[in-house]
Structures are given as structure tokens and as C-alpha cells.
Amino acid sequence: MNPVIGLDVSKGESHAQAFSDRGTPHGKTFRFEHNLEGLASFLRYAKDLESFTGQRPAVVLEATGHYHSPVVQFLDEHQYLYIVINPFISYQAKKTHLRKVKTDVADAYQLGELFYKEELEPSKKRGQYLMNLRYLTRQYESLTDMYVQAKLQFQAVLDQVFPEYHGVFGDLYSKVSLRFLALYPTSQSVLALSEKDVTAQIQHLVGHVSSNRWSLEKAQILIAAAERNPFKKTAFQGHLISLELLNNLLLQYQEHLAKLDKSIEALAEELIEYDLIQSIPGIGTKIAATILAEIGEIDRFDHAKKLIAFAGIDPSVFSSGKFTATRNTITKRGSRRLRTALYQAVRCGIRSSRNKKLRSYYDKKRAEGKLFKVAVIACANNRIHWIYAILTKKETFRLD
């Protein structure tokens, strides 16, 4: 016998369908919640199948964002072999059926059947490690997007309160700049202070004695900016409230992003591949961590072309009858984040004089008349071959 349990995971609950062997379902579909009581009942369900077949069953489930995390952790704790599959695979399998059925019960049954039809590989222990890294890198990306939106809102309000403040500290979003603005948000509040007081306040925010001269220069620039400001005080009190809220929000985002950055780096440094990928000029720490997290175990792909398809940068094909399209867009299937990370890596690489190999390939494509984005995607495609070779051979990148 070859037992398996198909598991359809949804928010807060799952439906399980056991099979004792190919084409032989064992009992009815079982529903359980993702709490201690529900997971314990699922364990009894799995033990019953194990007792009947004499073998410990494997468990097949779809990747469902964070919803499957409690189940996966539970299976890990009880040492069950589990297989997490791409939803696209199960979707394609459903299309082979004549009847269109979409229920949790049917999905659980379908996943069990899929185990016997496809050569599915179990998730490895290191997969959990990479999933953790993936969660952190995606969280970092999500938080960065929110940070950018807060910056745009902050600028819009600042332009209506203290537009001349831009450029005073070089980086508007530095901690010194934001904290000073939190204390003195209008040109009127700045001009109420003497040059000595402004210098002392900046010195206090910087926090070290060697910055005394720098603090004096910034104080002079700040006072001059306050004198040039078109309005000494805002006509709308709501602007000051918004400015204070957004200012605090930006400082919090910076703090959280810094913590995430350290956590990502600490996790990634445990992987030998982290340094190997960074040997490619143009790939820094953040991009390297994202690429590793999104790819996962490289042995999931037996050829670089499959990794290219997973990134969604393989060309689509359209042919019907005697017509065959000559201009095809990329498929954009698979991991959007991996695709974005590769695009950013190429942009960094072609700007860097160190990666002459990539730059010459890019120049060659441009000379062929390719548009900028087309040439960059071609470079990303080329770069995946490098990454695949590095990860499979465990060797650093060489320019020669």
C-alpha cells in the first residue's frame, strides 16, 4: 500500500481525504480547524490510516500563503512527510476533468489523486528555513512599499507647511532631520530660536561632540531656509497634525525595516549560497536574500530553463494554423518577486563597470535593436543561467 492524505487548506480550517492506495479512498472527507483540538483530531485521523495500511501516510497540500503554516508546523513536529505543491499544478490537473467542480471536499480528493499521478518531491527540512527567509523578505518588501507611500504623503504635507526645509539636512528622511522637524515643524518655530539654540538642538540630536561644526553649518542653512519660506505659519492646523503623525510613522518604519534587515541577514548568512550569489557583480545582500528565498531548494529544478519559467521571464508562444507570432511577451508566471529581484540585479549590474560580461551582453542586445526593457530581460534570462550554475555546482562566479 501507498497511503496519502490530500489536504485542502483554507483560512482557519482544512479538509482532508485519505487514500490507502491509488484509486482507493479511505473513509470520508474529514474537516478540522487549525487549533489544538482540531489538529489533535487530524492526528488521530492520520494514525487511523497508518494503522489500517501499516505505513505512515504522506500529506499533500497546496501552498496557500500563510494559512497552511500551522498545519506544516504540526506535521513537522510529528515527523510526517509532507509535500507542498504550487497551486498552478493542481489547477492544471483540475482542467483535465470533464465536470467543473470547486468545493473543499473535491479539492482535497483531487490533491490525493495528484500524489499518484505526479512525481512530487517532499519538502525538506531546510525548506522550512527558506520559507522563514521568504516570509521575512516579503515582509520587508511589503513594509518598504508602505514606507514609500508614507514618504510621498509626508512630502505633500511638508510642501504646504515648510517647503524650504527640503535639502537642509541633505537626506530629508534621516533621523536627525525627522526628529528636528518633529520639534520645530514650521519656519516660525525655527525663527523663534537663536542660532546658538538651533545649533545646540541639532548637536543634541546628532549626539556626538565632533559634529559641532557640522551642526553650526546646518543651523545657518536652516535659519536661512526658514527666512525664505513663503509662509511663517500654516493656515491649517490639520497640516501640523498630519505632519506629526506621518513623521512618527516614518521613524517607526525605519526602525522596523532595520530590524527586519538584521534578521534577514542573520538568516541568509547561515546559507552557503548567500555568499555564492553575491559573487555576481550587481547582486547585493538584499537581492541575494530575495533570490534565495524565492527559489528555495535549487534541486526542485533539473534545468536552468525550468528556473527561467518559474521566474516568468521565458517568452510566451502563440501559434495558430499557419500563423506564428514573432513578437511575444514574457509569460510573467511563477514568482513575481524573483522576477523583480532579477530585474533590479541586472539594472545594478549594467551600471557597474565591474560586471563587464553582463554589460557587453547588454550592449550586444541594444546593438541588435532591442528596446531597453527587452535587453534587460534578456540579461536577466542570461543571469539565471549563471545563478543556476552557481547554486548547483556550489562555486563562485568567475568573469573569465
Side-chain angles (χ1 to χ4, degrees):
M1 290 186 174
N2 187 14
V4 69
I5 297 175
L7 208 60
D8 181 67
V9 181
S10 55
K11 185 178 180 180
E13 65 176 25
S14 292
H15 287 76
Q17 174 62 59
F19 287 79
S20 58
D21 209 341
R22 184 187 182 101
T24 312
H26 179 75
K28 296 181 179 180
T29 304
F30 174 71
R31 175 189 167 277
F32 64 95
E33 295 183 355
H34 298 169
N35 52 34
L36 289 176
E37 185 180 345
L39 291 169
S41 66
F42 171 69
L43 182 60
R44 291 193 294 271
Y45 179 80
K47 291 286 186 184
D48 175 66
L49 178 62
E50 184 177 350
S51 170
F52 179 78
T53 60
Q55 296 180 30
R56 174 160 281 207
V59 179
V60 182
L61 63 152
E62 282 184 347
T64 53
H66 62 279
Y67 294 147
H68 68 275
S69 294
V71 179
V72 166
Q73 290 181 43
F74 182 80
L75 293 172
D76 258 336
E77 288 172 8
H78 292 84
Q79 300 181 336
Y80 273 89
L81 184 74
Y82 61 90
I83 302 165
V84 181
I85 66 169
N86 190 316
F88 185 71
I89 294 174
S90 58
Y91 173 73
Q92 290 298 325
K94 289 173 192 173
K95 289 169 69 176
T96 62
H97 292 266
L98 290 175
R99 294 184 65 196
K100 187 175 181 180
V101 180
K102 175 66 181 82
T103 65
D104 294 334
V105 173
D107 288 348
Y109 196 98
Q110 173 73 33
L111 288 167
E113 287 187 322
L114 193 63
F115 173 78
Y116 299 106
K117 293 179 182 177
E118 301 281 346
E119 294 182 5
L120 303 174
E121 292 190 5
S123 299
K124 301 180 180 178
K125 283 291 179 188
R126 209 173 72 122
Q128 280 292 94
Y129 194 91
L130 289 167
M131 279 179 67
N132 194 17
L133 183 61
R134 184 182 305 168
Y135 174 78
L136 288 177
T137 54
R138 289 184 176 184
Q139 187 67 26
Y140 188 92
E141 181 194 11
S142 177
L143 203 60
T144 300
D145 289 341
M146 290 189 282
Y147 179 53
V148 170
Q149 289 302 314
K151 285 166 74 173
L152 292 173
Q153 292 177 43
F154 178 80
Q155 283 191 33
V157 177
L158 185 62
D159 286 342
Q160 300 173 74
V161 176
F162 199 166
E164 291 295 328
Y165 190 82
H166 288 273
V168 169
F169 287 97
D171 180 9
L172 175 62
Y173 303 102
S174 67
K175 284 184 170 57
V176 174
S177 173
L178 291 175
R179 285 172 179 166
F180 185 90
L181 197 59
L183 296 170
Y184 307 100
T186 64
S187 56
Q188 184 184 39
S189 60
V190 172
L191 293 173
L193 302 173
S194 66
E195 183 181 286
K196 183 179 178 180
D197 290 337
V198 175
T199 304
Q201 188 62 62
I202 295 172
Q203 179 72 43
H204 174 71
L205 292 171
V206 173
H208 50 85
V209 181
S210 60
S211 64
N212 192 30
R213 184 178 177 182
W214 180 85
S215 299
L216 176 60
E217 290 175 356
K218 292 301 175 185
Q220 291 170 347
I221 295 171
L222 183 57
I223 292 170
E227 289 172 345
R228 291 195 310 270
N229 203 55
F231 18 81
K232 302 309 175 191
K233 61 179 181 179
T234 179
F236 302 100
Q237 189 65 23
H239 287 157
L240 293 179
I241 295 171
S242 296
L243 199 64
E244 181 184 2
L245 289 172
L246 290 165
N247 200 324
N248 292 333
L249 195 60
L250 289 172
L251 288 168
Q252 288 175 20
Y253 278 144
Q254 289 176 0
E255 184 181 348
H256 293 320
L257 285 169
K259 286 180 181 178
L260 275 175
D261 198 24
K262 287 180 180 178
S263 299
I264 289 168
E265 191 169 355
L267 265 177
E269 282 178 347
E270 296 293 322
L271 303 170
I272 186 175
E273 296 91 341
Y274 184 58
D275 290 328
L276 294 177
I277 289 182
Q278 287 184 75
S279 66
I280 301 176
I283 295 184
T285 56
K286 198 69 73 274
I287 292 177
T290 302
I291 289 172
L292 272 180
E294 293 301 319
I295 290 176
E297 296 286 359
I298 192 62
D299 55 11
R300 295 193 300 150
F301 309 95
D302 57 15
H303 197 280
K305 287 184 178 179
K306 289 188 177 180
L307 183 55
I308 290 169
F310 177 71
I313 58 173
D314 53 327
S316 58
V317 178
F318 184 82
S319 178
S320 179
K322 295 182 179 180
F323 173 78
T324 301
T326 55
R327 293 186 178 182
N328 297 315
T329 59
I330 58 175
T331 58
K332 292 189 178 180
R333 295 283 179 89
S335 172
R336 174 185 62 80
R337 291 176 176 86
L338 176 58
R339 188 161 58 251
T340 302
L342 290 166
Y343 187 83
Q344 291 172 344
V346 171
R347 292 289 302 270
C348 293
I350 60 179
R351 283 199 300 264
S352 172
S353 58
R354 291 182 300 144
N355 200 337
K356 296 178 181 177
K357 194 172 183 179
L358 184 69
R359 181 72 204 194
S360 62
Y361 186 77
Y362 168 78
D363 290 338
K364 176 188 171 185
K365 291 297 175 183
R366 292 290 279 165
E368 292 173 0
K370 305 292 185 186
L371 297 173
F372 171 75
K373 282 191 176 180
V374 176
V376 169
I377 292 299
C379 289
N381 195 304
N382 185 269
R383 180 160 281 198
I384 281 193
H385 283 275
W386 299 353
I387 291 170
Y388 184 80
I390 285 170
L391 295 180
T392 51
K393 296 178 182 178
K394 301 292 188 291
E395 295 177 359
T396 56
F397 176 75
R398 295 191 301 271
L399 280 172
D400 54 339

